[in-house]
Amino acid sequence: MTSAGLESGLGLASYASRADQSRGRRHPEPAAPGRSVFQRDRDRIVHSTAFRKLLYKTQVFVNHEGDLFRTRLTHSLEVAQIARSVARRLRLDEELTEAICLAHDLGHTPFGHAGQHSLNRALQDASAGLQGFEHNLQSLRVVDRLEHRYADFDGLNLCFETREGILKHCSIRLATRLGEVGQRFLDRQSPSLEAQLANLADEVAYNHHDLDDGLRSGLLVFEEVQEQALVAPHLRRLTTQYPGLDRDRLVCELIRGMINEQIDDLTQSTLSRLVANGIETAAQVREMASPLVGFSDEMGPKVQALKSFLRQRLYRHPRVVEMTTVAELVVSDLFGLALAARQDHEAPHLARREAADEIAGLTDRQAMLRHADCFPGRAQWPARVSL
Ligand code: MG
């Protein structure tokens, strides 16, 4: 391997994405003095309306349930922070990494996955050219079309590299309709290392903050959490080093230790994989059929075990399921109203897509208020879990 980075003159590794070699924007724009194209993308995302709405969108807990729970906004900031730590160590482009992280959840509906399930059902009609609702694709729609802030174009006109990073997954059927940003799914190739990193950082962030929020809410039981393979060694270390440490600080230290361990593992394993595959350029990264950013063989299964623990004990907790059921009803009712308002639309499948865009763009609060106005008393939200 070359001694990566020195040749770029920017402190970047030779396999990093380069702002000065971007494949560009859909609508060409003059360069901005003093700001790279990826930095501009990051700034556009932060200034967007969709980004501000993330503050009032559910991660796991509905926004009104407690002021300390993560929202999509704080989740996105934690993803960006974790990804930047690794990007700096791998000498990747931090601004591109951050832009992808901050934009990755812009397409989320109100009430998290519950809202997505509801809209997905409403948009299942292949004969009408509708192929469901998927939040990755919706994030791309937000930055490509739904933000209306610029005189010359719809959307934020982001660079190809930022857009491809936002589109984490995509079916082959849909990829054929997405143009250049869908091409890698057809070619079975990989996105940039920055995009791969944003994807992994998302997982690291939600595994740990959901653990934290789950414990704070009382829905997760500490005695069960401490048996997790990722948790146990940190707990042993901390109880030896700080006997009698109070529970709240113990949980913070546990999570801090776990995130640091996974960031180290992710960095070292990715570097090893880059060397093992002889990767020296960003183009070689893209030719790979599988991602290069990832955990070691020892860490991977432990992370999977934590994910399945969270799925069983938190995401499928009766209290969360109760919230999800009400949320699905609310989103489905509001979609019905939005569609009825478009009954004279000349293209019914477009009417459905536009209704979905409208409802997906609501915050939790907007959705709850609109529903309470239009269907008084119909939504019985479970009691708050925390003050
Ligand atoms: Mg996310």
Side-chain angles (χ1 to χ4, degrees):
M1 192 168 97
T2 56
S3 103
L6 298 176
E7 58 275 60
S8 81
L10 298 168
L12 294 177
S14 58
Y15 39 70
S17 295
R18 293 268 304 265
D20 58 355
Q21 290 168 13
S22 166
R23 285 171 62 177
R25 306 180 186 281
R26 296 201 296 174
H27 307 276
E29 292 183 54
R35 283 195 301 165
S36 80
V37 291
F38 298 149
Q39 186 181 350
R40 264 177 115 183
D41 280 7
R42 193 271 318 269
D43 297 349
R44 286 177 183 199
I45 292 159
V46 169
H47 287 288
S48 70
T49 309
F51 187 71
R52 285 196 301 283
K53 286 181 181 174
L54 295 178
L55 175 58
Y56 297 106
K57 291 204 178 198
T58 295
Q59 183 64 28
V60 172
F61 297 92
V62 176
N63 189 266
H64 73 282
E65 293 191 296
D67 292 345
L68 294 183
F69 295 128
R70 267 68 173 190
T71 66
R72 289 271 161 211
L73 181 65
T74 55
H75 162 69
S76 300
L77 295 174
E78 289 183 38
V79 174
Q81 177 265 320
I82 289 168
R84 280 193 73 147
S85 302
V86 181
R88 183 163 299 187
R89 290 167 70 174
L90 295 176
R91 289 186 294 155
L92 302 180
D93 189 293
E94 287 183 48
E95 283 154 354
L96 174 59
T97 307
E98 190 177 17
I100 297 169
C101 292
L102 294 178
H104 86 284
D105 271 351
L106 290 179
H108 258 291
T109 60
F111 314 121
H113 291 281
Q116 171 168 308
H117 292 154
S118 218
L119 289 185
N120 191 35
R121 270 197 305 274
L123 293 190
Q124 289 292 346
D125 189 351
S127 61
L130 293 167
Q131 293 173 342
F133 181 94
E134 210 283 313
H135 75 261
N136 286 309
L137 204 55
Q138 190 70 10
S139 297
L140 191 65
R141 268 176 82 73
V142 168
V143 300
D144 279 356
R145 297 187 198 197
L146 300 179
E147 282 284 321
H148 295 151
R149 320 179 60 78
Y150 296 88
D152 292 328
F153 44 77
D154 282 346
L156 304 178
N157 198 28
L158 303 180
C159 295
F160 169 83
E161 293 76 9
T162 309
R163 296 173 61 236
E164 75 156 357
I166 292 171
L167 191 65
K168 271 195 290 198
H169 317 286
C170 179
S171 67
I172 297 296
R173 209 159 44 139
L174 269 175
T176 57
R177 295 165 31 177
L178 290 174
E180 57 170 7
V181 86
Q183 193 57 41
R184 74 178 163 89
F185 298 98
L186 305 177
D187 298 341
R188 303 199 183 280
Q189 294 191 333
S190 296
S192 68
L193 290 172
E194 287 82 357
Q196 296 181 30
L197 174 55
N199 194 9
L200 257 287
D202 185 22
E203 213 178 296
V204 176
Y206 67 65
N207 282 339
H208 294 86
H209 63 50
D210 289 352
L211 193 60
D212 187 35
D213 283 351
L215 285 166
R216 185 178 312 103
S217 64
L219 299 191
L220 287 179
V221 180
F222 189 79
E223 286 62 33
E224 284 186 355
V225 169
Q226 68 184 13
E227 288 164 13
Q228 282 298 304
L230 282 176
V231 177
H234 292 285
L235 188 61
R236 275 198 299 276
R237 169 179 60 81
L238 288 165
T239 46
T240 308
Q241 199 176 352
Y242 303 105
L245 188 64
D246 69 74
R247 176 64 61 85
D248 289 350
R249 283 188 203 235
L250 182 64
V251 169
C252 291
E253 286 287 355
L254 262 179
I255 288 174
R256 201 162 74 88
M258 289 165 69
I259 292 177
N260 282 336
E261 184 189 18
Q262 281 164 59
I263 285 180
D264 283 345
D265 183 274
L266 195 56
T267 308
Q268 293 310 324
S269 313
T270 301
L271 281 171
S272 308
R273 235 170 263 128
L274 288 164
V275 173
N277 287 283
I279 303 293
E280 295 190 1
T281 67
Q284 289 172 324
V285 170
R286 292 173 183 281
E287 286 161 11
M288 300 293 291
S290 45
L292 291 155
V293 177
F295 293 115
S296 64
D297 291 346
E298 299 76 51
M299 183 62 78
K302 294 186 208 167
V303 173
Q304 283 309 318
L306 178 63
K307 282 177 86 158
S308 59
F309 170 77
L310 287 168
R311 191 161 48 244
Q312 286 160 23
R313 293 288 195 248
L314 183 62
Y315 311 142
R316 292 184 189 157
H317 189 286
R319 172 62 184 62
V320 174
V321 172
E322 195 185 347
M323 183 282 283
T324 304
T325 310
V326 182
E328 287 191 25
L329 171 87
V330 167
V331 170
S332 158
D333 283 349
L334 292 179
F335 175 80
L337 274 186
L339 188 59
R342 291 170 172 82
Q343 61 182 347
D344 297 329
H345 202 295
E346 68 257 5
H349 69 286
L350 278 183
R352 271 208 266 181
R353 174 58 69 189
E354 285 172 16
D357 287 339
E358 180 189 328
I359 303 307
L362 297 175
T363 65
D364 292 6
R365 289 207 301 193
Q366 289 172 325
M368 289 168 103
L369 287 172
R370 190 186 288 190
H371 193 266
D373 272 353
C374 303
F375 303 91
R378 187 162 139 85
Q380 301 293 323
W381 291 97
R384 287 164 66 109
V385 293
S386 160
L387 291 175

